[in-house]
Amino acid sequence: MDNHTIIDQQEIQQTQEFNYASNGIRFVNYLIDQVVIFLLVFFTAIYTMPMGLLTEQWGSFVISFIYGLTYYCLIESITRGKSIGKLITGTRALKSDGELPGFGDILKRSLCRYIPFEVFSIFFDAPWHDSIPDMMVVKESSNENI
């Protein structure tokens, strides 16, 4: 057996096929997660408005940022790459090599969501919150080993 054959077999064994989530499914994930975050912020606002914490625009932005970042980091860490939206749609965020993301990967991905105009990056090859931390979103059924 020559070296070329050995290398080809190793490459085949390492190659995994993933059933990537469509942009439509990802949009549904986004909507569900935004509703959850909105509800968390809304119920917090009910209790904090009398204290004057959310009366200024920056207060609302800071609270929304903290809740969004905490939501994604906490939920996706506990569920190993799933937000509430992903739990409902049967999808999961993975590192591009197919491994489960660690907290650092999830934190980086979550922070990337707050890059200005990031929401429009969906029209490019991959959203920045996937491409920068080198992650992907796949349908769960394609990864029985996880």
Side-chain angles (χ1 to χ4, degrees), residues 9-108:
Q9 288 174 348
Q10 289 173 346
E11 287 177 7
I12 291 170
Q13 290 172 349
Q14 291 175 355
T15 301
Q16 297 180 14
E17 298 225 1
F18 295 101
N19 190 3
Y20 296 100
S22 69
N23 284 346
I25 294 291
R26 296 192 62 165
F27 184 67
V28 171
N29 292 346
Y30 172 78
L31 289 178
I32 293 168
D33 292 333
Q34 291 306 304
V35 167
V36 171
I37 293 167
F38 171 79
L39 291 173
L40 291 170
V41 171
F42 177 78
F43 287 114
T44 299
I46 290 173
Y47 294 106
T48 59
M49 275 187 149
M51 296 180 262
L53 296 176
L54 291 179
T55 56
E56 303 214 8
Q57 182 180 4
W58 285 105
S60 298
F61 174 77
V62 169
I63 294 294
S64 296
F65 172 77
I66 290 170
Y67 271 58
L69 188 64
T70 303
Y71 167 78
Y72 282 112
C73 287
L74 186 64
I75 296 293
E76 289 190 353
S77 291
I78 291 170
T79 61
R80 304 181 71 168
K82 294 182 176 187
S83 62
I84 302 297
K86 289 182 194 77
L87 284 166
I88 292 170
T89 62
T91 56
R92 176 188 300 271
L94 294 174
K95 293 169 39 174
S96 59
D97 64 2
E99 295 292 318
L100 291 171
F103 181 78
D105 301 310
I106 292 168
L107 176 62
K108 189 175 183 181

